[in-house]
Amino acid sequence: MGVSTSETEKGVAVVTVDFPPVNALPVRGWYDLADAIRVTGRDPGVRCVVLTAVGRGFNAGVDIKEMQRDDGHGALIGANRGCFEAFAAVYECEVPVIAAVQGFCLGGGIGLAGNADAIVASEDAVFGLPELDRGALGAATHLARLVPQHLMRALYYTSRTATAEELHRHGSVWKVVPRAELRSAARELAREIAAKDGYLLRLAKAAINGIDPVDVRRSYRFEQGFTFEANLSGVADRVRAAFGADEDRGEEGQS
């Protein structure tokens, strides 16, 4: 359980997230993930990173139960900062990052996948931001990197999800495969990337980030200000309380 790193073949490192039951990360988990990606990206022997997860889904966002146990705003501030660091680590990783996504990719999962350089997804993968149903805001910055602007807005306001095949049609998912083939497909793409010169890959990553039309760090930080405002107003607590009731009725997912 937690975040682990392994090297499956020359030039390719795999960072794996495992936080049962739904990979909803606690504050410490986001920082651990950020650290793992940064350390791996700095390794001169690594030319591509595959970000993957164990279990039913890729990522269900932050651990809302951790927030519900906190009488103050410490957990919220910690989650905001932890997510910011993890998303930035993926985006700023010195080498390309491939997100291997299975099952649900929600909330913080969108921040991770949206900042990755490429996405390989299983046929059962779904992507969305149920933030408005969970008393939160944020990661529209990253969803906008996966789907067109108006679709992003509709998905955000409704809390609906898009399938891997839909994102593949929009060009944001590289390949859709059966779940059993997900890791091998991600490694296949990573192997092709890792065959390039390592120094040139690092230059390419820095150059591509430098021409992005949106500063993802500043854009996401702007969103987080509204997340905190929602909490100060009390509306976030009311919505999160309803989330707990939904969970008791058997509904899945945290964001």
Side-chain angles (χ1 to χ4, degrees):
M1 178 176 163
V3 178
S4 60
T5 304
S6 61
E7 189 169 337
T8 57
E9 53 194 285
K10 185 177 180 180
V12 178
V14 178
V15 175
T16 303
V17 176
D18 182 14
F19 284 88
V22 294
N23 284 323
L25 273 59
V27 171
R28 184 69 257 165
W30 291 108
Y31 282 105
D32 289 346
L33 178 55
D35 290 344
I37 293 171
R38 288 196 172 106
V39 169
T40 303
R42 286 194 296 265
D43 184 340
V46 173
R47 299 183 181 183
C48 188
V49 174
V50 177
L51 175 58
T52 187
V54 174
R56 290 180 288 164
F58 175 72
N59 189 282
V62 305
D63 186 350
I64 289 182
K65 290 181 179 179
E66 185 178 37
M67 290 186 183
Q68 291 172 329
R69 291 191 297 267
D70 185 2
D71 293 333
H73 294 114
L76 171 66
I77 294 172
N80 276 1
R81 291 178 176 174
C83 285
F84 183 85
E85 290 300 323
F87 300 170
V90 172
Y91 183 77
E92 296 167 355
C93 184
E94 295 181 23
V95 298
V97 177
I98 298 169
V101 178
Q102 85 274 14
F104 43 82
C105 179
L106 306 173
I110 294 294
L112 298 172
N115 268 356
D117 294 276
I119 301 170
V120 177
S122 62
E123 293 170 335
D124 65 345
V126 292
F127 300 75
L129 290 176
E131 311 306 276
L132 296 185
D133 290 342
R134 304 297 187 254
L137 298 168
T141 291
H142 311 94
L143 185 58
R145 296 167 64 84
L146 300 176
V147 298
Q149 180 70 211
H150 284 82
L151 178 55
M152 179 276 288
R153 289 171 178 256
L155 291 173
Y156 195 92
Y157 296 146
T158 62
S159 297
R160 292 176 62 172
T161 58
T163 66
E165 187 56 45
E166 287 173 318
L167 265 61
H168 182 258
R169 291 199 297 269
H170 288 299
S172 52
V173 166
W174 173 260
K175 193 173 187 179
V176 180
V177 297
R179 182 182 279 228
E181 300 173 17
L182 177 62
R183 294 199 178 188
S184 62
R187 288 196 299 268
E188 180 183 2
L189 177 57
R191 191 180 307 119
E192 184 175 349
I193 293 172
K196 309 299 181 185
D197 181 85
Y199 181 68
L200 198 58
L201 275 173
R202 283 169 163 77
L203 290 179
K205 178 67 180 277
I208 291 173
N209 280 4
I211 63 171
D212 258 340
V214 175
D215 182 337
V216 295
R217 288 172 62 96
R218 186 173 64 180
S219 178
Y220 177 55
R221 195 62 174 154
F222 179 81
E223 289 187 76
Q224 286 188 317
F226 288 94
T227 298
F228 197 67
E229 182 177 326
N231 279 269
L232 291 179
S233 70
V235 65
D237 289 334
R238 293 197 300 272
V239 175
R240 274 198 295 269
F243 166 80
D246 290 342
E247 187 183 53
D248 291 341
R249 292 195 295 269
E251 294 191 8
E252 177 187 279
Q254 296 176 314
S255 70

